[in-house]
Amino acid sequence: MARKRLPRAVFDFYDGGAEDERSLRANRAAFGQHALAPRVLNDVSQVVLASTILGQPASMPLAVAPTGAAGFGWHQADSAIARAAMQAGVPYALSTAANTSIAEIAAIVPQARKWFQAYILRNRAFTENMIRRALDAGYEALMITVDLPVGGKRERDSRNDFSIPFRYTARNVLDFALHPCWSLPMLMRGIPKVPNLVGLNSTAQDTRTVASSVGRNFDPSFNWDDLRHMRDIWPHKLIVKGIMRASDAERAATLGCDAIVVSNHGGRQLDAGYATLDALAPIARALGRDLEIMVDGGVRRGADIVMALALGASAVLIGRPTLYGACAGGEAGALRALDILRDELSRTMQLCGLTSVDQISADILALD
Ligand SMILES: Cc1cc2nc3c(=O)[nH]c(=O)nc-3n(C[C@H](O)[C@H](O)[C@H](O)COP(=O)(O)O)c2cc1C
C-alpha cells in the first residue's frame, strides 16, 4: 500500500539500500538459511509474548527502530509511529533526523517507552545539547548509531534525482503529480522540517545534498574514546546500534554500554556486508550475559523474531515495516504492521509448541 501511495522516488528512498543492495538482500536471505523444528502436543492454549527489554516490560520482544525523514511519507509520521508503538506496548526510538522534535514526541506520548537515537555530528557541542534535550524530556535510553561515519551510497536516490530538500526535475514533478494522495497534503502542509537539527548550519540550505542530508554533518572521527565520553554524560541506559563483530561488542560492554543492536542500518550503509542474523550468533556466543543484544534488518515475519531470539537476541527492532505501515495509513497503518507481527509471533510459537518467549532457544532450530 505504501508503494502505491508514494511517488516512486520517495518509496525508493525508504525501500532502498546502498550500492548493489547486497547487504539489504542478505539480511532477508539469512532468515531463509534457518528452519524451525516444532515440538507437538504441548498445551499451547495460552501464549505469553511479554518480555523485558532493557530491564523494563514490553508486550513482545520487539522495538521500533529509528527511521529518519519518515514525515516525507505521511504527515507527522513520527508521532503516528510513536503512538502506534505506545498502543502496542513496545519501545519507540526517535531518530536525530526525524521530522518531529524530541520535545514534541515526549509531549505526545509522555507515558510511552522512548529512546533517542543520536548521530554524532561534527559539531559536538550541538550533539551534546541535543542529547541533553533528550535527557530533559525524559527519554529512557540513548541509542548511538555507529555504522555511519559517512553516508552510504544509495544509488536509487541518485537515479531518481531524489534529495531532501526535493529537487524538482521534470520526472519528479510528474511522479508527484501522479500521486495526488501524497502530493496534495504535502503541498498544503509544506515540506517537513528536521527540527532536532535546527540551528545546525548547512543542513537546510544545501539543495544538492543527497537524501541523507544530515550525512555531511556526521563526524567520521568519532571513536571509542568519544563513546566513553558519551557513556559519561548519559546517566541512563546506553545502546550502541550498528555493531557487527564480537570484538566490537566486547569493547562496548567494557565501556559500560547496556545494550547493542547488531545492525547494518537496514543495508543502507556498507554494501557487501554480512547479514545481521549471521553476525548475531557469534556475538551472542562471545558476550553471553555481559550486555543485552538486539538485532535488526529484514525482520518481516513472526518466525523471523523466533529465529533471532533462538540465535541469542533478546529482542528485534523493525524499521521499514512500521514505516511502510505509516506511509500507507498513518497511526493505524503502523499499528497494523505491529499487530501482524504480534499475531504471527504468537501463531509461530504455538505451532512450535512454545508458550513463552523465554522458552525460545537454539533448540528450536535443530532437529533431534
Ligand atoms: C528510511 C530509513 C531511515 C532510517 N533512518 C535511520 C536513522 O535516522 N537512524 C538510525 O540509526 N537508523 C536509521 N535507519 C535504520 C533503521 O534504524 C534500522 O536499522 C533498519 O531499518 C532495520 O532494517 P529493516 O528496515 O529491514 O527492519 C533507517 C532506515 C530506513 C529504512
Side-chain angles (χ1 to χ4, degrees):
M1 286 170 75
R3 187 194 295 275
K4 229 171 163 178
R5 196 183 147 266
L6 298 179
R8 178 176 174 169
V10 179
F11 182 77
D12 272 357
F13 167 65
Y14 295 145
D15 192 52
E19 299 173 25
D20 291 323
E21 304 191 333
R22 284 196 263 177
S23 295
L24 178 70
R25 281 194 301 276
N27 282 350
R28 265 312 287 141
F31 288 99
Q33 300 301 312
H34 297 275
L36 300 169
R39 284 181 194 285
V40 296
L41 298 176
N42 282 344
D43 175 356
V44 291
S45 46
Q46 301 289 328
V47 184
V48 181
L49 302 185
S51 330
T52 303
I53 307 178
L54 293 180
Q56 302 284 331
S59 70
M60 58 179 158
L62 179 150
V64 175
T67 49
F72 287 84
W74 183 274
H75 180 62
Q76 296 192 338
D78 303 301
S79 45
I81 298 173
R83 282 199 182 96
M86 181 179 69
Q87 283 184 58
V90 297
Y92 164 79
L94 178 74
S95 163
T96 289
N99 302 116
T100 311
S101 74
I102 293 169
E104 274 175 281
I105 288 291
I108 289 166
V109 286
Q111 310 302 339
R113 293 192 63 183
K114 296 175 293 296
W115 303 342
F116 177 63
Q117 177 268 320
Y119 282 131
I120 305 303
L121 310 169
R122 288 175 199 271
N123 186 336
R124 290 295 175 86
F126 188 95
T127 309
E128 289 194 23
N129 182 283
M130 195 166 63
I131 291 172
R132 159 68 55 183
R133 277 182 268 148
L135 184 62
D136 293 346
Y139 282 66
E140 166 197 335
L142 175 66
M143 173 184 269
I144 297 189
T145 300
V146 295
D147 56 15
L148 206 143
V150 294
K153 184 166 175 260
R154 296 209 290 273
E155 296 184 0
R156 287 203 217 182
D157 295 343
S158 317
R159 282 196 290 275
N160 291 333
D161 270 330
F162 184 77
S163 70
I164 296 172
F166 294 137
R167 216 175 303 162
Y168 292 99
T169 61
R171 198 163 50 127
N172 278 345
V173 171
L174 181 65
D175 192 11
F176 294 171
L178 290 172
H179 294 86
C181 294
W182 174 88
S183 49
L184 290 179
M186 190 62 71
L187 266 179
M188 272 155 48
R189 292 172 172 134
I191 305 293
K193 309 263 182 307
V194 185
N196 296 329
L197 296 179
V198 167
L200 184 69
N201 298 336
S202 78
T203 313
Q205 291 88 344
D206 184 358
T207 48
R208 282 206 56 81
T209 312
V210 183
S212 55
S213 57
V214 280
R216 66 200 330 266
N217 290 301
F218 298 145
D219 187 350
S221 77
F222 183 64
N223 59 43
W224 289 101
D225 289 337
D226 299 320
L227 183 63
R228 180 187 319 243
H229 174 65
M230 294 297 162
R231 175 65 288 186
D232 291 343
I233 64 170
W234 178 262
H236 306 310
K237 299 282 185 186
L238 183 67
I239 308 165
V240 184
K241 175 171 178 278
I243 297 250
M244 291 291 283
R245 299 178 71 104
S247 52
D248 280 349
E250 264 159 22
R251 222 163 156 182
T254 310
L255 281 185
C257 300
D258 300 287
I260 58 165
V261 184
V262 177
S263 173
N264 58 17
H265 217 105
R268 295 165 74 79
Q269 284 298 112
L270 173 71
D271 199 22
Y274 278 90
T276 51
L277 196 71
D278 293 337
L280 169 66
I283 292 177
R285 267 199 305 276
L287 269 289
R289 301 189 173 278
D290 292 355
L291 88 175
E292 197 162 327
I293 302 167
M294 297 179 251
V295 66
D296 75 13
V299 174
R300 299 291 180 271
R301 292 281 183 187
D304 300 342
I305 304 176
V306 173
M307 285 178 181
L309 266 57
L311 289 167
S314 60
V316 301
L317 270 60
I318 51 162
R320 292 180 183 86
T322 30
L323 187 58
Y324 294 151
C327 291
E331 181 181 333
L335 189 58
R336 180 91 181 98
L338 289 163
D339 284 345
I340 291 170
L341 284 168
R342 182 195 306 282
D343 170 69
E344 288 182 2
L345 172 60
S346 170
R347 193 184 300 270
T348 303
M349 285 173 59
Q350 285 171 300
L351 291 171
C352 284
L354 300 162
T355 54
S356 75
V357 163
D358 55 21
Q359 291 171 358
I360 301 174
S361 71
D363 173 71
I364 200 65
L365 298 178
L367 293 166
D368 49 25

